[in-house]
């Protein structure tokens, strides 16, 4: 019996070594799977200078003014069609503005940027506004179709048909500035959610442009 003992002990050691090796391999495999899962589950967010960040910031500025103008005319117009349209514009753009604010929070980025407006569009072949650093802030706002402070004051002052017609004129120009911005992020961006919202802006605001031109004609604006 004593002669068998030295033979049994090495066999036992090898069994332990084998079990440890299997355990190490298993842990390494699990770590690898966890690392790969983490890389898939947490993709990189858009950077501070990305087209997505620029679009989210600039379109929030744009939407804020649209909501202001739409609620102003909603409050005082007597035209039922225009009241419905202005309500739709205000609610849709307020919701989109909230989404864009949320994107920047999720991406860990500030809501404002030190870059000029529409700098992110410079790489777009069709929608670039050129060297934005060479333009004044007012020129950039004009390119975006934004109303001036004087125009907003006039909209607040006017009543009746003159107010309706001024609103339509300002909002048509506003939409004409927004649509190229949305088309630019569809061209330049990579984030699927951002491009989806941009597509909805193009579709929705193109339809609203047709509706506003029809109301302009019915009200005989410009005559």
């Amino acid at each position: 019996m004593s002669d068998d003992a030295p033979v049994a002990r090495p066999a036992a050691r090898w069994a332990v070594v084998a079990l440890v090796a299997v355990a190490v391999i298993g842990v390494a495999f699990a770590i690898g799977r966890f690392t790969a899962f983490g890389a898939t589950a947490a993709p990189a967010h858009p950077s501070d200078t990305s087209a997505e960040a620029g679009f989210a910031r600039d379109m929030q500025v744009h939407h804020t003014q649209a909501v202001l103008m739409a609620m102003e005319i909603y409050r005082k117009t007597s035209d039922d069609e225009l009241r419905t349209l202005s309500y739709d514009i205000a609610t849709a753009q307020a919701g989109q503005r909230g989404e864009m604010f949320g994107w920047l929070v999720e991406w860990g980025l500030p809501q404002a940027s030190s870059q000029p407006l529409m700098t992110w569009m410079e790489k777009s072949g069709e929608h670039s506004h050129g060297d934005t650093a060479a333009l004044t802030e007012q020129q950039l706002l004009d390119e975006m179709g934004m109303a001036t402070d004087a125009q907003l004051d006039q909209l607040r002052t006017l009543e009746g048909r003159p107010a309706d017609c001024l609103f339509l004129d300002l909002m048509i120009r506003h939409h004409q500035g927004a649509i190229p911005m949305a088309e630019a992020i569809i061209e330049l961006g990579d984030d699927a959610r951002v491009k989806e919202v941009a597509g909805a802006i193009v579709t929705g605001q193109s339809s609203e442009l047709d509706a506003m031109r029809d109301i302009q004609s019915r009200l005989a604006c410009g005559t």
Side-chain angles (χ1 to χ4, degrees):
M1 293 293 292
S2 61
D3 293 340
D4 295 336
V7 176
R9 283 195 293 272
R13 284 200 301 272
W14 281 112
V16 171
V17 170
L19 288 173
V20 171
V22 170
V24 170
I25 292 170
V27 170
F29 178 77
I31 291 172
R33 288 296 298 273
F34 179 80
T35 302
F37 174 78
T40 301
H45 292 313
S47 71
D48 189 52
T49 57
S50 66
E52 284 87 351
F55 172 78
R57 290 163 177 152
D58 290 356
M59 195 58 85
Q60 280 191 75
V61 172
H62 208 266
H63 276 16
T64 296
Q65 187 179 85
V67 172
L68 185 154
M69 292 193 297
M71 292 309 297
E72 176 65 24
I73 204 65
Y74 173 80
R75 178 184 63 80
K76 63 187 180 183
T77 186
S78 59
D79 188 279
D80 290 339
E81 185 181 4
L82 185 55
R83 181 182 294 109
T84 299
L85 178 61
S86 62
Y87 178 83
D88 290 344
I89 290 172
T91 54
Q93 296 203 24
Q96 290 168 350
R97 183 181 59 187
E99 283 188 80
M100 294 165 194
F101 184 96
W103 294 339
L104 291 166
V105 171
E106 179 185 338
W107 300 338
L109 301 177
Q111 296 295 326
S113 172
S114 59
Q115 293 185 318
L117 295 165
M118 299 185 293
T119 299
W120 62 273
M121 297 173 66
E122 289 180 354
K123 294 181 181 179
S124 171
E126 183 179 354
H127 305 295
S128 173
H129 294 278
D131 183 6
T132 55
L135 301 176
T136 67
E137 184 176 3
Q138 187 56 57
Q139 287 173 323
L140 292 169
L141 292 171
D142 291 342
E143 291 282 337
M144 292 170 67
M146 299 281 283
T148 65
D149 289 343
Q151 289 170 328
L152 294 176
D153 288 341
Q154 187 180 15
L155 182 62
R156 295 185 190 100
T157 302
L158 293 175
E159 298 287 343
R161 178 173 167 274
D164 293 348
C165 288
L166 178 60
F167 168 80
L168 290 166
D169 182 58
L170 295 178
M171 192 60 79
I172 285 172
R173 185 165 175 271
H174 208 262
H175 277 24
Q176 289 171 333
I179 291 173
M181 294 168 66
E183 290 173 338
I185 193 60
I186 293 172
E187 173 194 351
L188 301 173
D190 296 313
D191 190 286
R193 292 178 305 167
V194 174
K195 295 174 79 166
E196 181 181 2
V197 171
I201 290 172
V202 172
T203 301
Q205 295 200 18
S206 295
S207 176
E208 288 167 355
L209 277 173
D210 291 339
M212 287 190 286
R213 290 181 178 121
D214 286 345
I215 298 173
Q216 269 187 327
S217 179
R218 176 170 57 79
L219 295 179
C221 294
T223 61

